[in-house]
Amino acid sequence: MQKIATAIFAGATAFLRRQYRTIGLLSIVAAVIVSLALALLGQGSQADKINLAWHTGLAFLVGALCSGVSGYIGMYVAVKANIRTASAATRSLGEALVVALRGGAVSGFLVVALSLFGVSILFMLFGGLTQPAVAPSLLIGFGFGASFVALFAQLGGGIYTKAADVGADLVGKIEANIPEDDARNPAVIADLVGDNVGDCAGRGADLFESTAAENIGTMILGATLYQATGNSGWLLFPLVLGAFGIIASAVGILFIRPSSVVEPKQAAGRDPSEIAMRQLNIGYYITCGISVVGVFIGCYLLLGQGGATGSFGTPVWLWYSFAGCVGIGLSIAFVFITQYYTAGRWRPVREIAQATLTGPATTILSGITLGFECVVMPVLAICAALGLSYFFGSQVHLVQEVHGGVINISGIFGTAVATVGMLMSCGYILAMDTFGPITDNAGGISEMGGQSEAAREVTDALDSVGNTTKALTKGYGLGSAALAAFLLF
Protein backbone atom coordinates (compact mmCIF):
# COMPACT_ATOMS: atom_id res chain seq x y z
CA MET A 1 0.00 0.00 0.00
CA GLN A 2 2.86 2.39 0.77
CA LYS A 3 4.47 1.61 -2.58
CA ILE A 4 1.25 2.49 -4.43
CA ALA A 5 0.69 5.65 -2.37
CA THR A 6 4.27 6.74 -3.04
CA ALA A 7 3.72 6.37 -6.80
CA ILE A 8 0.55 8.52 -6.58
CA PHE A 9 2.41 11.15 -4.56
CA ALA A 10 5.31 11.23 -7.05
CA GLY A 11 2.95 11.67 -10.01
CA ALA A 12 0.86 14.40 -8.37
CA THR A 13 3.84 16.45 -7.20
CA ALA A 14 5.57 16.11 -10.58
CA PHE A 15 2.47 17.35 -12.40
CA LEU A 16 1.90 20.31 -10.08
CA ARG A 17 5.59 21.25 -10.05
CA ARG A 18 5.58 21.42 -13.84
CA GLN A 19 2.22 23.20 -14.03
CA TYR A 20 3.01 25.83 -11.41
CA ARG A 21 6.41 26.52 -12.92
CA THR A 22 4.67 27.48 -16.14
CA ILE A 23 1.92 29.41 -14.33
CA GLY A 24 4.54 31.26 -12.28
CA LEU A 25 6.37 32.49 -15.36
CA LEU A 26 3.13 33.49 -17.07
CA SER A 27 1.99 35.30 -13.92
CA ILE A 28 5.13 37.45 -13.89
CA VAL A 29 4.65 38.31 -17.57
CA ALA A 30 0.96 39.11 -17.02
CA ALA A 31 1.73 41.28 -13.96
CA VAL A 32 4.26 43.31 -15.98
CA ILE A 33 1.81 43.76 -18.88
CA VAL A 34 -1.02 44.84 -16.56
CA SER A 35 1.25 47.30 -14.73
CA LEU A 36 2.56 48.81 -17.98
CA ALA A 37 -0.97 49.11 -19.39
CA LEU A 38 -2.17 50.96 -16.29
CA ALA A 39 0.90 53.19 -16.22
CA LEU A 40 0.44 54.19 -19.87
CA LEU A 41 -3.35 54.14 -20.31
CA GLY A 42 -4.73 54.83 -16.82
CA GLN A 43 -6.66 57.91 -15.79
CA GLY A 44 -5.48 60.87 -13.74
CA SER A 45 -2.02 62.36 -13.38
CA GLN A 46 1.14 60.42 -14.18
CA ALA A 47 1.79 59.94 -10.45
CA ASP A 48 -1.71 58.45 -10.04
CA LYS A 49 -1.10 56.10 -12.97
CA ILE A 50 2.23 54.90 -11.56
CA ASN A 51 0.71 54.44 -8.10
CA LEU A 52 -2.17 52.33 -9.42
CA ALA A 53 0.18 50.35 -11.72
CA TRP A 54 2.63 49.11 -9.11
CA HIS A 55 -0.09 48.46 -6.51
CA THR A 56 -2.08 46.37 -8.99
CA GLY A 57 0.98 44.47 -10.24
CA LEU A 58 2.08 43.60 -6.70
CA ALA A 59 -1.43 42.55 -5.71
CA PHE A 60 -1.62 40.39 -8.86
CA LEU A 61 1.53 38.49 -7.91
CA VAL A 62 0.43 38.05 -4.30
CA GLY A 63 -2.98 36.73 -5.43
CA ALA A 64 -1.35 34.28 -7.83
CA LEU A 65 1.12 33.13 -5.15
CA CYS A 66 -1.56 32.59 -2.48
CA SER A 67 -3.77 30.68 -4.92
CA GLY A 68 -0.87 28.46 -6.00
CA VAL A 69 0.25 27.79 -2.42
CA SER A 70 -3.27 26.85 -1.27
CA GLY A 71 -3.68 24.43 -4.19
CA TYR A 72 -0.26 22.82 -3.76
CA ILE A 73 -0.47 22.31 0.02
CA GLY A 74 -4.06 21.07 -0.24
CA MET A 75 -3.02 18.49 -2.82
CA TYR A 76 0.04 17.52 -0.74
CA VAL A 77 -2.11 16.76 2.30
CA ALA A 78 -4.67 14.91 0.19
CA VAL A 79 -2.11 12.49 -1.23
CA LYS A 80 -0.78 11.92 2.28
CA ALA A 81 -4.30 11.30 3.64
CA ASN A 82 -5.29 8.67 1.05
CA ILE A 83 -3.19 5.83 2.48
CA ARG A 84 -4.23 6.77 6.02
CA THR A 85 -7.86 6.50 4.94
CA ALA A 86 -7.19 3.12 3.31
CA SER A 87 -5.60 1.95 6.55
CA ALA A 88 -8.49 3.30 8.66
CA ALA A 89 -10.96 1.45 6.40
CA THR A 90 -9.55 -1.85 7.68
CA ARG A 91 -10.81 -0.90 11.16
CA SER A 92 -14.09 1.03 10.78
CA LEU A 93 -16.24 3.19 8.51
CA GLY A 94 -16.30 5.99 11.10
CA GLU A 95 -12.53 6.23 11.40
CA ALA A 96 -12.03 6.24 7.62
CA LEU A 97 -14.72 8.92 7.20
CA VAL A 98 -13.13 11.21 9.80
CA VAL A 99 -9.57 10.78 8.47
CA ALA A 100 -10.67 11.62 4.91
CA LEU A 101 -12.81 14.60 5.96
CA ARG A 102 -10.13 16.14 8.17
CA GLY A 103 -7.55 15.63 5.44
CA GLY A 104 -9.87 17.57 3.13
CA ALA A 105 -10.38 20.22 5.80
CA VAL A 106 -6.71 21.24 5.56
CA SER A 107 -7.29 22.23 1.95
CA GLY A 108 -10.59 23.96 2.73
CA PHE A 109 -9.23 26.06 5.57
CA LEU A 110 -6.07 26.96 3.64
CA VAL A 111 -8.06 28.34 0.71
CA VAL A 112 -10.32 30.54 2.85
CA ALA A 113 -7.60 31.60 5.30
CA LEU A 114 -5.05 32.54 2.62
CA SER A 115 -7.72 34.53 0.76
CA LEU A 116 -8.59 36.48 3.92
CA PHE A 117 -4.93 36.81 4.90
CA GLY A 118 -3.83 38.11 1.50
CA VAL A 119 -6.64 40.65 1.19
CA SER A 120 -6.25 41.84 4.80
CA ILE A 121 -2.48 42.29 4.60
CA LEU A 122 -2.63 44.13 1.27
CA PHE A 123 -5.51 46.30 2.52
CA MET A 124 -3.36 47.48 5.44
CA LEU A 125 -0.17 47.84 3.36
CA PHE A 126 -2.01 49.87 0.71
CA GLY A 127 -3.27 52.44 3.23
CA GLY A 128 -6.41 50.80 4.56
CA LEU A 129 -5.87 52.37 7.99
CA THR A 130 -5.21 55.89 6.68
CA GLN A 131 -7.16 55.98 3.38
CA PRO A 132 -9.89 53.31 3.75
CA ALA A 133 -11.96 54.70 0.89
CA VAL A 134 -9.08 54.37 -1.61
CA ALA A 135 -7.32 51.15 -0.58
CA PRO A 136 -9.96 48.61 -1.80
CA SER A 137 -9.68 49.82 -5.41
CA LEU A 138 -5.93 49.03 -5.28
CA LEU A 139 -6.67 45.37 -4.41
CA ILE A 140 -8.27 44.43 -7.73
CA GLY A 141 -5.04 42.85 -8.92
CA PHE A 142 -5.25 40.28 -6.11
CA GLY A 143 -8.52 38.88 -7.49
CA PHE A 144 -7.14 39.05 -11.03
CA GLY A 145 -4.05 37.06 -10.04
CA ALA A 146 -6.18 34.45 -8.26
CA SER A 147 -8.41 34.14 -11.35
CA PHE A 148 -5.34 33.78 -13.58
CA VAL A 149 -4.04 30.81 -11.59
CA ALA A 150 -7.53 29.29 -11.27
CA LEU A 151 -7.95 29.34 -15.05
CA PHE A 152 -4.81 27.26 -15.66
CA ALA A 153 -5.28 25.01 -12.62
CA GLN A 154 -8.87 24.18 -13.57
CA LEU A 155 -8.12 23.56 -17.24
CA GLY A 156 -4.81 21.75 -16.74
CA GLY A 157 -5.95 19.58 -13.84
CA GLY A 158 -9.43 19.00 -15.26
CA ILE A 159 -8.24 17.86 -18.69
CA TYR A 160 -5.53 15.67 -17.16
CA THR A 161 -7.91 13.88 -14.78
CA LYS A 162 -10.52 13.12 -17.45
CA ALA A 163 -7.93 11.96 -19.98
CA ALA A 164 -6.28 9.68 -17.41
CA ASP A 165 -9.63 8.33 -16.19
CA VAL A 166 -10.90 7.47 -19.67
CA GLY A 167 -7.51 6.07 -20.71
CA ALA A 168 -7.33 3.75 -17.70
CA ASP A 169 -10.88 2.53 -18.28
CA LEU A 170 -10.34 1.91 -22.01
CA VAL A 171 -7.23 -0.17 -21.41
CA GLY A 172 -8.43 -2.00 -18.31
CA LYS A 173 -12.15 -2.61 -18.70
CA ILE A 174 -12.41 -2.86 -22.51
CA GLU A 175 -9.07 -4.03 -23.92
CA ALA A 176 -7.69 -6.14 -21.08
CA ASN A 177 -11.08 -7.01 -19.51
CA ILE A 178 -9.78 -6.58 -15.96
CA PRO A 179 -11.49 -4.84 -13.00
CA GLU A 180 -11.24 -1.14 -12.26
CA ASP A 181 -8.16 -0.18 -10.17
CA ASP A 182 -6.47 -3.49 -11.01
CA ALA A 183 -2.79 -3.55 -10.02
CA ARG A 184 -1.84 -4.89 -13.47
CA ASN A 185 -2.93 -1.62 -15.12
CA PRO A 186 -0.31 1.13 -14.62
CA ALA A 187 -2.73 3.75 -16.00
CA VAL A 188 -4.65 3.47 -12.73
CA ILE A 189 -1.87 5.49 -11.05
CA ALA A 190 -2.40 8.30 -13.58
CA ASP A 191 -6.16 8.11 -12.91
CA LEU A 192 -5.64 8.48 -9.15
CA VAL A 193 -3.12 11.29 -9.69
CA GLY A 194 -5.70 13.10 -11.80
CA ASP A 195 -8.25 13.11 -8.99
CA ASN A 196 -5.80 15.03 -6.82
CA VAL A 197 -4.55 17.59 -9.33
CA GLY A 198 -8.03 18.20 -10.78
CA ASP A 199 -10.38 18.16 -7.81
CA CYS A 200 -7.99 19.25 -5.02
CA ALA A 201 -5.73 21.83 -6.65
CA GLY A 202 -8.12 22.89 -9.42
CA ARG A 203 -11.27 23.25 -7.34
CA GLY A 204 -9.30 24.89 -4.53
CA ALA A 205 -7.97 27.54 -6.91
CA ASP A 206 -11.49 28.05 -8.28
CA LEU A 207 -13.06 28.78 -4.89
CA PHE A 208 -10.01 30.78 -3.80
CA GLU A 209 -10.74 33.06 -6.74
CA SER A 210 -14.44 33.27 -5.81
CA THR A 211 -13.73 34.23 -2.19
CA ALA A 212 -11.04 36.75 -3.18
CA ALA A 213 -13.21 38.42 -5.83
CA GLU A 214 -16.20 38.54 -3.50
CA ASN A 215 -14.20 40.03 -0.61
CA ILE A 216 -12.63 42.71 -2.80
CA GLY A 217 -15.88 43.51 -4.63
CA THR A 218 -17.77 43.92 -1.37
CA MET A 219 -14.99 46.10 0.06
CA ILE A 220 -15.05 48.36 -3.02
CA LEU A 221 -18.80 48.75 -2.65
CA GLY A 222 -18.31 49.23 1.09
CA ALA A 223 -15.88 52.09 0.36
CA THR A 224 -18.71 53.96 -1.35
CA LEU A 225 -20.99 53.35 1.62
CA TYR A 226 -18.18 54.41 3.97
CA GLN A 227 -18.00 57.75 2.19
CA ALA A 228 -21.75 58.17 2.59
CA THR A 229 -21.94 57.19 6.27
CA GLY A 230 -18.44 57.46 7.77
CA ASN A 231 -18.76 53.90 9.15
CA SER A 232 -15.70 51.75 8.37
CA GLY A 233 -17.70 48.60 9.19
CA TRP A 234 -18.90 48.48 5.58
CA LEU A 235 -15.29 47.91 4.48
CA LEU A 236 -14.40 45.24 7.02
CA PHE A 237 -17.69 43.35 6.78
CA PRO A 238 -16.65 40.56 4.30
CA LEU A 239 -13.40 39.89 6.17
CA VAL A 240 -15.13 39.56 9.55
CA LEU A 241 -17.84 37.25 8.18
CA GLY A 242 -15.19 35.18 6.40
CA ALA A 243 -13.46 34.68 9.75
CA PHE A 244 -16.79 33.67 11.34
CA GLY A 245 -17.17 31.17 8.50
CA ILE A 246 -13.83 29.50 9.29
CA ILE A 247 -14.89 29.06 12.91
CA ALA A 248 -18.28 27.67 11.85
CA SER A 249 -16.67 25.20 9.41
CA ALA A 250 -14.19 24.05 12.07
CA VAL A 251 -16.99 23.32 14.55
CA GLY A 252 -18.96 21.44 11.88
CA ILE A 253 -15.99 19.27 10.94
CA LEU A 254 -14.92 18.55 14.51
CA PHE A 255 -18.50 17.53 15.37
CA ILE A 256 -18.09 14.43 13.18
CA ARG A 257 -16.26 11.77 15.22
CA PRO A 258 -15.77 8.05 14.63
CA SER A 259 -18.00 7.24 17.61
CA SER A 260 -20.91 9.16 16.05
CA VAL A 261 -20.90 7.04 12.87
CA VAL A 262 -23.08 3.92 12.88
CA GLU A 263 -21.08 0.97 11.55
CA PRO A 264 -22.72 -1.01 8.69
CA LYS A 265 -22.85 -4.23 10.70
CA GLN A 266 -24.88 -2.38 13.36
CA ALA A 267 -27.14 -0.58 10.89
CA ALA A 268 -29.57 -3.43 10.10
CA GLY A 269 -28.90 -3.49 6.36
CA ARG A 270 -28.62 0.27 5.79
CA ASP A 271 -26.37 1.44 2.94
CA PRO A 272 -22.96 2.50 4.34
CA SER A 273 -22.77 5.39 1.84
CA GLU A 274 -26.10 6.70 3.14
CA ILE A 275 -24.77 6.57 6.72
CA ALA A 276 -21.63 8.49 5.74
CA MET A 277 -23.55 11.10 3.72
CA ARG A 278 -25.90 11.70 6.64
CA GLN A 279 -22.94 12.47 8.91
CA LEU A 280 -21.49 14.93 6.40
CA ASN A 281 -24.89 16.62 6.11
CA ILE A 282 -25.19 16.96 9.88
CA GLY A 283 -21.79 18.65 10.03
CA TYR A 284 -22.85 21.00 7.22
CA TYR A 285 -26.09 21.96 8.94
CA ILE A 286 -24.15 22.77 12.11
CA THR A 287 -21.80 24.94 10.04
CA CYS A 288 -24.75 26.79 8.48
CA GLY A 289 -26.45 27.24 11.86
CA ILE A 290 -23.34 28.85 13.38
CA SER A 291 -22.96 30.94 10.20
CA VAL A 292 -26.46 32.36 10.69
CA VAL A 293 -25.49 33.44 14.20
CA GLY A 294 -22.29 34.95 12.79
CA VAL A 295 -24.26 36.92 10.16
CA PHE A 296 -26.49 38.52 12.79
CA ILE A 297 -23.55 39.32 15.08
CA GLY A 298 -21.44 40.71 12.22
CA CYS A 299 -24.25 42.85 10.84
CA TYR A 300 -25.09 44.20 14.30
CA LEU A 301 -21.49 45.10 15.14
CA LEU A 302 -20.43 46.49 11.76
CA LEU A 303 -23.53 47.79 9.95
CA GLY A 304 -25.55 49.16 12.85
CA GLN A 305 -23.91 52.62 12.76
CA GLY A 306 -23.87 55.48 10.27
CA GLY A 307 -27.27 57.14 10.32
CA ALA A 308 -29.02 55.03 7.65
CA THR A 309 -32.65 54.08 8.27
CA GLY A 310 -34.66 50.97 7.45
CA SER A 311 -38.25 50.40 6.34
CA PHE A 312 -40.98 49.86 8.95
CA GLY A 313 -38.67 51.09 11.68
CA THR A 314 -36.56 47.92 11.41
CA PRO A 315 -32.83 48.44 12.14
CA VAL A 316 -30.46 48.51 9.17
CA TRP A 317 -28.39 45.59 10.44
CA LEU A 318 -31.47 43.36 10.63
CA TRP A 319 -32.36 43.83 6.96
CA TYR A 320 -28.81 42.94 5.96
CA SER A 321 -28.88 39.94 8.31
CA PHE A 322 -31.90 38.67 6.39
CA ALA A 323 -29.95 39.11 3.13
CA GLY A 324 -27.04 37.12 4.56
CA CYS A 325 -29.41 34.33 5.59
CA VAL A 326 -30.67 34.21 1.99
CA GLY A 327 -27.11 33.41 0.86
CA ILE A 328 -26.77 30.68 3.48
CA GLY A 329 -30.15 29.29 2.39
CA LEU A 330 -28.92 29.25 -1.23
CA SER A 331 -25.89 27.15 -0.26
CA ILE A 332 -28.19 24.67 1.51
CA ALA A 333 -30.44 24.60 -1.57
CA PHE A 334 -27.43 23.73 -3.75
CA VAL A 335 -26.53 20.89 -1.38
CA PHE A 336 -30.05 19.45 -1.59
CA ILE A 337 -30.35 19.87 -5.37
CA THR A 338 -26.93 18.35 -6.07
CA GLN A 339 -27.52 15.39 -3.76
CA TYR A 340 -30.89 14.75 -5.37
CA TYR A 341 -29.35 14.48 -8.83
CA THR A 342 -26.11 12.66 -7.91
CA ALA A 343 -26.75 10.46 -4.84
CA GLY A 344 -27.79 6.87 -5.43
CA ARG A 345 -30.87 6.93 -3.19
CA TRP A 346 -32.88 9.33 -5.37
CA ARG A 347 -34.77 8.96 -8.65
CA PRO A 348 -32.26 10.43 -11.20
CA VAL A 349 -29.33 8.07 -10.50
CA ARG A 350 -31.69 5.09 -10.16
CA GLU A 351 -33.22 5.92 -13.54
CA ILE A 352 -29.80 5.92 -15.19
CA ALA A 353 -28.93 2.63 -13.46
CA GLN A 354 -32.20 1.14 -14.71
CA ALA A 355 -31.44 2.37 -18.24
CA THR A 356 -28.14 0.45 -18.29
CA LEU A 357 -30.11 -2.80 -18.31
CA THR A 358 -31.41 -2.06 -21.81
CA GLY A 359 -28.16 -0.97 -23.46
CA PRO A 360 -25.80 1.97 -24.03
CA ALA A 361 -28.26 3.99 -26.16
CA THR A 362 -30.90 4.28 -23.43
CA THR A 363 -28.17 4.94 -20.86
CA ILE A 364 -26.83 7.87 -22.90
CA LEU A 365 -30.33 9.26 -23.49
CA SER A 366 -31.23 8.99 -19.83
CA GLY A 367 -27.99 10.62 -18.69
CA ILE A 368 -28.23 13.50 -21.19
CA THR A 369 -31.89 14.11 -20.30
CA LEU A 370 -31.20 14.30 -16.59
CA GLY A 371 -28.12 16.43 -17.27
CA PHE A 372 -30.30 19.04 -18.97
CA GLU A 373 -32.96 18.75 -16.29
CA CYS A 374 -30.60 19.27 -13.36
CA VAL A 375 -29.58 22.82 -14.35
CA VAL A 376 -33.09 24.26 -13.99
CA MET A 377 -33.38 24.30 -10.19
CA PRO A 378 -29.94 25.87 -9.54
CA VAL A 379 -30.66 28.71 -12.00
CA LEU A 380 -34.04 29.39 -10.39
CA ALA A 381 -32.46 29.26 -6.92
CA ILE A 382 -29.78 31.81 -7.92
CA CYS A 383 -32.40 34.15 -9.42
CA ALA A 384 -34.60 33.87 -6.31
CA ALA A 385 -31.63 34.54 -4.00
CA LEU A 386 -30.55 37.61 -6.00
CA GLY A 387 -34.07 39.02 -6.04
CA LEU A 388 -34.75 38.38 -2.37
CA SER A 389 -31.39 39.68 -1.13
CA TYR A 390 -31.78 42.79 -3.30
CA PHE A 391 -35.24 43.34 -1.82
CA PHE A 392 -33.94 43.07 1.76
CA GLY A 393 -31.02 45.39 1.00
CA SER A 394 -33.25 47.98 -0.69
CA GLN A 395 -35.28 48.31 2.51
CA VAL A 396 -32.31 50.31 3.82
CA HIS A 397 -32.58 53.95 2.75
CA LEU A 398 -29.02 54.87 1.93
CA VAL A 399 -28.52 57.16 -1.05
CA GLN A 400 -25.39 58.21 -2.88
CA GLU A 401 -24.82 60.86 -5.54
CA VAL A 402 -23.57 59.42 -8.82
CA HIS A 403 -22.98 61.71 -11.82
CA GLY A 404 -25.30 64.36 -10.44
CA GLY A 405 -28.15 61.92 -9.69
CA VAL A 406 -29.14 60.27 -6.42
CA ILE A 407 -29.51 56.45 -6.28
CA ASN A 408 -30.17 53.92 -3.54
CA ILE A 409 -27.18 51.54 -3.57
CA SER A 410 -28.15 49.57 -0.48
CA GLY A 411 -29.97 46.94 -2.56
CA ILE A 412 -26.77 46.02 -4.40
CA PHE A 413 -24.98 45.71 -1.07
CA GLY A 414 -27.75 43.28 -0.03
CA THR A 415 -26.72 40.92 -2.84
CA ALA A 416 -23.10 41.29 -1.68
CA VAL A 417 -24.08 40.31 1.87
CA ALA A 418 -25.90 37.26 0.45
CA THR A 419 -22.76 36.20 -1.42
CA VAL A 420 -20.64 36.65 1.70
CA GLY A 421 -23.19 34.54 3.60
CA MET A 422 -23.02 31.79 0.99
CA LEU A 423 -19.22 31.73 1.09
CA MET A 424 -19.12 31.44 4.90
CA SER A 425 -19.38 27.65 4.54
CA CYS A 426 -16.66 27.53 1.86
CA GLY A 427 -14.20 25.82 4.21
CA TYR A 428 -16.57 22.94 4.93
CA ILE A 429 -17.63 22.61 1.28
CA LEU A 430 -14.01 22.39 0.16
CA ALA A 431 -13.33 19.81 2.86
CA MET A 432 -16.10 17.68 1.36
CA ASP A 433 -14.71 18.27 -2.12
CA THR A 434 -11.19 17.09 -1.23
CA PHE A 435 -12.82 14.22 0.69
CA GLY A 436 -13.76 12.86 -2.77
CA PRO A 437 -10.29 12.29 -4.26
CA ILE A 438 -8.95 11.12 -0.87
CA THR A 439 -11.55 8.34 -0.67
CA ASP A 440 -11.21 7.56 -4.39
CA ASN A 441 -7.46 7.13 -3.92
CA ALA A 442 -8.04 5.08 -0.78
CA GLY A 443 -10.25 2.72 -2.77
CA GLY A 444 -7.60 2.31 -5.46
CA ILE A 445 -4.89 1.69 -2.86
CA SER A 446 -7.06 -0.92 -1.12
CA GLU A 447 -7.86 -2.66 -4.39
CA MET A 448 -4.29 -2.74 -5.70
CA GLY A 449 -2.88 -3.49 -2.25
CA GLY A 450 -5.04 -6.62 -1.91
CA GLN A 451 -6.94 -5.54 1.19
CA SER A 452 -9.84 -7.52 2.65
CA GLU A 453 -13.33 -7.46 1.18
CA ALA A 454 -14.65 -5.63 4.25
CA ALA A 455 -12.09 -2.84 3.84
CA ARG A 456 -12.94 -2.46 0.16
CA GLU A 457 -16.64 -2.24 1.01
CA VAL A 458 -15.87 0.70 3.30
CA THR A 459 -13.73 2.50 0.70
CA ASP A 460 -16.35 1.83 -2.02
CA ALA A 461 -19.06 3.39 0.17
CA LEU A 462 -16.91 6.44 0.88
CA ASP A 463 -15.94 6.70 -2.79
CA SER A 464 -19.64 6.78 -3.69
CA VAL A 465 -20.19 9.61 -1.21
CA GLY A 466 -17.08 11.36 -2.53
CA ASN A 467 -18.51 11.46 -6.05
CA THR A 468 -21.59 13.23 -4.69
CA THR A 469 -19.55 15.72 -2.65
CA LYS A 470 -17.35 16.53 -5.67
CA ALA A 471 -20.45 17.30 -7.70
CA LEU A 472 -21.80 19.33 -4.79
CA THR A 473 -18.73 21.56 -4.82
CA LYS A 474 -19.08 22.20 -8.54
CA GLY A 475 -22.64 23.39 -7.98
CA TYR A 476 -21.57 25.48 -5.00
CA GLY A 477 -18.75 27.06 -7.03
CA LEU A 478 -21.20 27.85 -9.84
CA GLY A 479 -23.64 29.54 -7.46
CA SER A 480 -21.00 31.61 -5.66
CA ALA A 481 -19.44 32.66 -9.00
CA ALA A 482 -22.86 33.76 -10.29
CA LEU A 483 -23.48 35.91 -7.23
CA ALA A 484 -19.95 37.35 -7.33
CA ALA A 485 -20.32 38.17 -11.05
CA PHE A 486 -23.57 40.00 -10.34
CA LEU A 487 -21.79 42.06 -7.66
CA LEU A 488 -19.01 42.98 -10.11
CA PHE A 489 -21.58 44.46 -12.49
Side-chain angles (χ1 to χ4, degrees):
M1 288 170 68
Q2 290 181 0
K3 180 181 177 182
I4 297 161
T6 301
I8 297 170
F9 177 78
T13 51
F15 177 88
L16 280 195
R17 195 181 304 116
R18 183 67 186 87
Q19 178 175 260
Y20 279 134
R21 189 161 70 244
T22 302
I23 294 175
L25 293 173
L26 290 174
S27 296
I28 294 172
V29 173
V32 171
I33 292 174
V34 168
S35 299
L36 288 175
L38 289 173
L40 296 174
L41 305 175
Q43 297 179 344
S45 65
Q46 190 60 38
D48 292 336
K49 294 178 184 179
I50 297 296
N51 185 57
L52 179 62
W54 80 262
H55 278 97
T56 303
L58 177 61
F60 182 97
L61 291 175
V62 173
L65 177 64
C66 289
S67 180
V69 167
S70 64
Y72 192 91
I73 297 179
M75 184 282 305
Y76 182 93
V77 173
V79 295
K80 291 295 186 181
N82 54 18
I83 188 170
R84 289 165 170 78
T85 304
S87 174
T90 63
R91 295 184 289 277
S92 71
L93 173 66
E95 187 179 344
L97 172 68
V98 170
V99 169
L101 182 63
R102 292 184 181 178
V106 176
S107 176
F109 289 158
L110 264 174
V111 166
V112 181
L114 279 174
S115 176
L116 289 174
F117 180 75
V119 172
S120 302
I121 292 296
L122 287 178
F123 177 69
M124 289 188 289
L125 289 177
F126 290 175
L129 300 179
T130 55
Q131 295 178 303
V134 177
S137 61
L138 302 175
L139 300 175
I140 295 174
F142 185 89
F144 187 21
S147 300
F148 190 82
V149 172
L151 171 68
F152 286 94
Q154 282 273 70
L155 284 175
I159 293 172
Y160 178 95
T161 185
K162 296 308 173 189
D165 193 353
V166 172
D169 285 346
L170 284 175
V171 170
K173 296 178 183 177
I174 296 178
E175 292 185 7
N177 196 26
I178 57 178
E180 186 175 8
D181 293 339
D182 193 290
R184 292 169 290 177
N185 184 3
V188 171
I189 297 296
D191 181 11
L192 298 177
V193 167
D195 292 323
N196 291 294
V197 299
D199 291 312
C200 294
R203 191 68 52 206
D206 178 30
L207 284 176
F208 181 94
E209 179 266 332
S210 289
T211 56
E214 170 55 29
N215 288 334
I216 295 168
T218 305
M219 291 175 75
I220 291 172
L221 190 58
T224 306
L225 297 170
Y226 164 75
Q227 291 174 312
T229 63
N231 176 18
S232 59
W234 302 99
L235 288 162
L236 302 177
F237 180 76
L239 303 179
V240 172
L241 256 65
F244 267 119
I246 292 179
I247 296 171
S249 297
V251 174
I253 287 171
L254 292 174
F255 182 84
I256 302 173
R257 300 178 303 278
S259 59
S260 64
V261 181
V262 179
E263 292 302 316
K265 58 186 178 184
Q266 303 169 343
R270 283 176 59 193
D271 186 357
S273 61
E274 183 181 333
I275 297 171
M277 194 73 237
R278 185 172 182 274
Q279 287 298 312
L280 294 180
N281 285 339
I282 291 173
Y284 184 66
Y285 297 144
I286 291 172
T287 299
C288 289
I290 298 174
S291 297
V292 169
V293 176
V295 165
F296 278 90
I297 293 175
C299 289
Y300 175 76
L301 294 176
L302 298 171
L303 308 183
Q305 311 295 326
T309 58
S311 300
F312 311 111
T314 305
V316 169
W317 66 269
L318 206 53
W319 285 116
Y320 282 128
S321 298
F322 295 153
C325 291
V326 169
I328 295 172
L330 178 63
S331 69
I332 295 174
F334 266 101
V335 169
F336 272 111
I337 293 168
T338 306
Q339 287 188 24
Y340 175 74
Y341 280 103
T342 59
R345 57 183 297 201
W346 304 105
R347 172 189 64 86
V349 173
R350 291 181 180 274
E351 276 190 9
I352 297 174
Q354 185 69 26
T356 62
L357 300 177
T358 53
T362 50
T363 305
I364 292 170
L365 289 173
S366 179
I368 289 291
T369 302
L370 290 168
F372 281 121
E373 177 189 321
C374 75
V375 301
V376 176
M377 292 304 295
V379 171
L380 294 178
I382 291 171
C383 294
L386 283 172
L388 200 56
S389 60
Y390 185 87
F391 168 76
F392 286 137
S394 62
Q395 299 308 301
V396 176
H397 306 300
L398 187 65
V399 297
Q400 175 76 9
E401 291 188 11
V402 178
H403 300 302
V406 177
I407 62 170
N408 185 5
I409 57 176
S410 57
I412 297 296
F413 195 79
T415 64
V417 174
T419 313
V420 171
M422 182 176 185
L423 287 171
M424 287 180 75
S425 58
C426 183
Y428 192 96
I429 291 289
L430 265 173
M432 289 203 293
D433 178 59
T434 310
F435 171 91
I438 289 174
T439 54
D440 193 349
N441 277 213
I445 291 170
S446 293
E447 178 73 29
M448 288 188 283
Q451 294 304 297
S452 66
E453 189 68 29
R456 290 203 293 271
E457 285 179 3
V458 169
T459 56
D460 286 347
L462 294 179
D463 186 17
S464 174
V465 174
N467 287 326
T468 299
T469 59
K470 285 189 288 187
L472 188 155
T473 313
K474 292 179 175 68
Y476 182 88
L478 180 148
S480 62
L483 293 183
F486 184 84
L487 172 63
L488 293 178
F489 282 116

